[in-house]
Amino acid sequence: MEGEAYESELDALSDWVDDFLLPVYGREITTSQPWCYQWQEHDEAVARLHVLWLAYQQHLDPEAGLAGMAVWTRDFLDHSLAQIRSATGPFAACTTDPQRPAHRVLPGPAAAPRREDHGQAV
């Protein structure tokens, strides 16, 4: 997604994170479970939260059955939050104490340089 479609989706995701996910599953911010109040600036967090939200919507559907939300919790929520809030996750350089908010996006690995050899990528 790009442009206006991305912004619209991010707004809806932000509403879900702020109004549902954090109040219900947020837990305490600690050094072992950091959080970033500017999570929308962390591409990995946005990607993980977005797929978590999409799975949530799917498992809310009546066709998911009575255990739909239990499946979502077990198969999606627990693993996703453990990755997002890991001390080595996307918020590793962000808030570890709610009294001292912090935000810093750590650089990821750079893409490998591409070589051209007689018109073919190697």
Side-chain angles (χ1 to χ4, degrees), residues 107-115 122:
R114 296 180 183 243
R115 292 188 2 204
V122 184

Side-chain angles (χ1 to χ4, degrees), residues 76-95:
F76 298 93
L77 176 69
D78 293 342
H79 178 73
S80 294
L81 284 184
Q83 292 295 311
I84 293 167
R85 302 227 24 218
S86 162
T88 59
F91 304 145
C94 295
T95 303

Side-chain angles (χ1 to χ4, degrees), residues 1-71:
M1 275 185 231
E2 294 179 357
E4 202 172 299
Y6 177 81
E7 291 301 321
S8 178
E9 192 76 358
L10 186 58
D11 284 346
L13 174 62
S14 295
D15 288 344
W16 180 76
V17 169
D18 292 342
D19 297 341
F20 173 73
L21 187 68
L22 291 179
V24 177
Y25 299 104
R27 296 191 185 170
E28 184 179 15
I29 297 171
T30 65
T31 55
S32 64
Q33 289 199 331
W35 180 255
C36 186
Y37 297 107
Q38 297 176 45
W39 60 266
Q40 299 92 336
E41 296 181 21
H42 295 266
D43 291 340
E44 178 185 351
V46 170
R48 288 181 180 275
L49 288 168
H50 189 250
V51 298
L52 183 61
W53 178 50
L54 294 175
Y56 172 82
Q57 293 175 67
Q58 179 182 356
H59 285 83
L60 268 181
D61 189 293
E63 289 186 20
L66 294 175
M69 292 310 298
V71 171

